[in-house]
């Protein structure tokens, strides 16, 4: 991969990470507030809990994505970005452009998902 490609992927990853950090911070705040509100209000707890559960799983997937992006940035630093972590082949550029945080080629990703 060319240095200018690396630079543009790094930029994309950093931007994604920055906006994700902001969004997940907001969600964390909302979750905290929801906890506080529940302590005071009680009331229609079932509906509230259901909403909370959705928010918590969103927050969790945001957290996991943040980890993946940080990992991708580390791989840029170590010069292994764009190489599949499982088979060592180059990840197709189109796949990286669609999702710069991927660390597996499509074949390995599918095998990984098939294994759960
Ligand atoms: Zn692979």
């Amino acid at each position: 991969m060319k240095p200018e490609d690396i630079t543009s992927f790094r930029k994309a990853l950093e931007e994604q990470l920055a906006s994700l950090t902001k969004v997940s911070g907001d969600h964390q705040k909302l979750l905290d507030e929801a906890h506080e509100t529940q302590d005071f209000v009680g009331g229609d707890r079932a509906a509230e809990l259901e909403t909370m559960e959705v928010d918590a799983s969103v927050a969790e997937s945001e957290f996991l994505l943040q980890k993946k992006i940080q990992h991708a940035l580390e791989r840029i630093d170590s010069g292994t970005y764009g190489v599949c972590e499982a088979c060592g082949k180059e990840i197709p550029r189109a796949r990286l452009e669609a999702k710069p945080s991927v660390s597996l080629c499509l074949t390995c990703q599918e095998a990984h998902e098939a294994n759960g």
Side-chain angles (χ1 to χ4, degrees):
M1 199 179 285
K2 288 182 232 158
E4 59 261 39
D5 290 342
I6 294 282
T7 307
S8 79
F9 279 123
R10 181 198 287 275
K11 196 160 167 276
L13 284 163
E14 280 171 350
E15 277 169 11
Q16 206 181 351
L17 185 61
S19 70
L20 200 58
T21 304
K22 188 186 173 301
V23 168
S24 70
D26 288 348
H27 280 160
Q28 196 54 55
K29 230 186 284 171
L30 281 178
L31 278 178
D32 291 347
E33 279 166 19
H35 274 293
E36 282 168 26
T37 311
Q38 270 192 348
D39 289 344
F40 289 115
V41 181
D44 192 3
R45 292 185 73 93
E48 275 177 33
L49 282 172
E50 208 169 296
T51 316
M52 294 252 310
E53 226 167 273
V54 172
D55 285 353
S57 80
V58 167
E60 194 187 319
S61 63
E62 281 164 354
F63 177 74
L64 289 176
L65 185 56
Q66 269 177 288
K67 289 265 161 214
K68 281 182 85 169
I69 294 172
Q70 278 161 354
H71 184 60
L73 286 166
E74 282 165 17
R75 296 184 73 217
I76 286 181
D77 287 337
S78 62
T80 56
Y81 181 75
V83 174
C84 174
E85 283 191 314
C87 69
K89 284 185 199 154
E90 264 192 41
I91 299 172
R93 198 192 155 101
R95 179 165 164 77
L96 288 173
E97 276 171 357
K99 216 177 167 192
S101 59
V102 292
S103 57
L104 295 173
C105 71
L106 194 57
T107 312
C108 294
Q109 180 73 46
E110 279 171 357
H112 183 73
E113 277 165 15
N115 290 332

